Amino acid sequence: MQKRVLVRRPGPRLEEGLLTHLERVPVDVDKARRQWLGYVAALQAEGWELFEVDPADDCPDAVFVEDTAVVYGGLAVITRPGAVERRAETDGTEKALSGLGYRIARIEAPGTLDGGDVLKHGGTVWVGLGGRTNQAGLDQLSALLSPLGATVVGVPITKALHLKSAVTALPDGSVIGYDPLVDDPTVFPAYLSVPEGPGAHVVLLDGGTVLMSTSAPRTQEIFESHGLRVVAVDLSEYEKLEGCVTCLSIRLRG
């Protein structure tokens, strides 16, 4: 399997990033830079080839590159972020994905779509509705992905910034979530509750390995008891900004 990943370095205005559900607390930008380096080193150590999107230093949230595109097969859908302040972030991502040979499509007004609202697994694409993504954005994404064989399903979200702030999926397709942030777990065919908020966020590194935050040690034990190998990284400064392991990269699986 091709394992390529897009990332974008944190900029000097990181601590000014938007907040929706959390109170603002000080962010140590130097520590955040070190944590980002640890994150990308973990990906590289697991065999992922790194591609950096051009910096966007005027955009505080640009490090959260996942929100700028949804990649499905050979198609890259450039998003139209729900926060107007973030729309300048997409140009660099489009340039990077075009350079890697992806076919490009774009979400157009009045649609809004953040990549953090899109959870893909096994041909199903769940899209969070209610925060940064609207129905028009979902409809456009569905029109683009359905011809590629995807089933696009809208999921209500009111308790978290993005769908993937509340749930992600394990290699076997089980959707994991932190119950206080999940509006309706019944929309997922297989759902596993985890005891810590940061434990609901994993990146699939291969069929038996997940990347997660060191902030969820009890959840890590649960995953390991299920036979998963866990790579844990410290992302405390990004968690202050409603970020997590998924937000910091766009995984390109061939």
Side-chain angles (χ1 to χ4, degrees):
M1 181 181 75
Q2 165 189 282
K3 293 164 64 172
R4 301 189 293 184
V5 60
L6 285 190
V7 295
R8 185 182 237 154
R9 288 178 183 269
R13 297 178 58 194
L14 176 68
E15 61 189 336
E16 301 171 38
L18 299 173
L19 288 173
T20 305
H21 293 273
L22 295 181
E23 295 293 323
R24 190 171 299 278
V25 296
V27 172
D28 184 333
V29 177
D30 288 334
K31 184 177 181 181
R33 290 191 182 105
R34 294 193 299 272
Q35 290 178 343
W36 183 87
L37 290 171
Y39 175 86
V40 298
L43 290 168
Q44 289 178 300
E46 295 297 319
W48 289 75
E49 184 181 3
L50 209 65
F51 294 87
E52 281 199 48
V53 177
D54 290 342
D57 286 350
D58 289 337
C59 300
D61 286 299
V63 69
F64 300 122
V65 68
E66 179 184 50
D67 289 322
T68 59
V70 176
V71 176
Y72 196 92
L75 177 68
V77 181
I78 306 304
T79 66
R80 185 169 181 266
V84 174
E85 302 93 323
R86 298 197 60 190
R87 291 182 186 161
E89 298 174 25
T90 60
D91 289 348
T93 307
E94 179 173 345
K95 177 183 172 186
L97 287 166
S98 179
L100 288 170
Y102 283 87
R103 184 165 58 91
I104 301 293
R106 298 175 193 85
I107 301 298
E108 307 286 357
T112 62
L113 180 80
D114 277 21
D117 275 324
V118 180
L119 175 62
K120 301 172 291 183
H121 199 284
T124 300
V125 179
W126 292 281
V127 180
L129 285 173
R132 299 280 178 85
T133 297
N134 65 17
Q135 185 67 47
L138 180 151
D139 290 344
Q140 290 180 41
L141 185 69
S142 181
L144 291 165
L145 300 190
S146 295
L148 304 179
T151 300
V152 179
V153 180
V155 180
I157 54 162
T158 62
K159 303 174 182 178
L161 173 61
H162 291 125
L163 176 63
K164 287 163 77 173
S165 304
V167 298
T168 54
L170 296 177
D172 68 358
S174 299
V175 172
I176 54 171
Y178 179 57
D179 287 351
L181 299 182
V182 180
D183 284 78
D184 182 10
T186 65
V187 301
F188 307 109
Y191 176 80
L192 173 67
S193 175
V194 299
E196 298 150 307
H201 314 134
V202 297
V203 168
L204 307 187
L205 297 175
D206 60 38
T209 307
V210 297
L211 178 72
M212 66 178 294
S213 169
T214 55
S215 299
R218 288 185 293 154
T219 307
Q220 179 175 342
E221 290 179 5
I222 292 169
F223 294 160
E224 289 172 340
S225 74
H226 281 67
L228 290 171
R229 186 169 72 90
V230 174
V231 177
V233 293
D234 180 7
L235 294 177
S236 61
E237 301 310 297
Y238 298 98
E239 289 164 356
K240 295 174 181 177
L241 294 166
E242 298 178 301
C244 65
V245 285
T246 66
C247 312
L248 295 171
S249 62
I250 299 173
R251 283 74 58 196
L252 309 173
R253 300 174 175 89

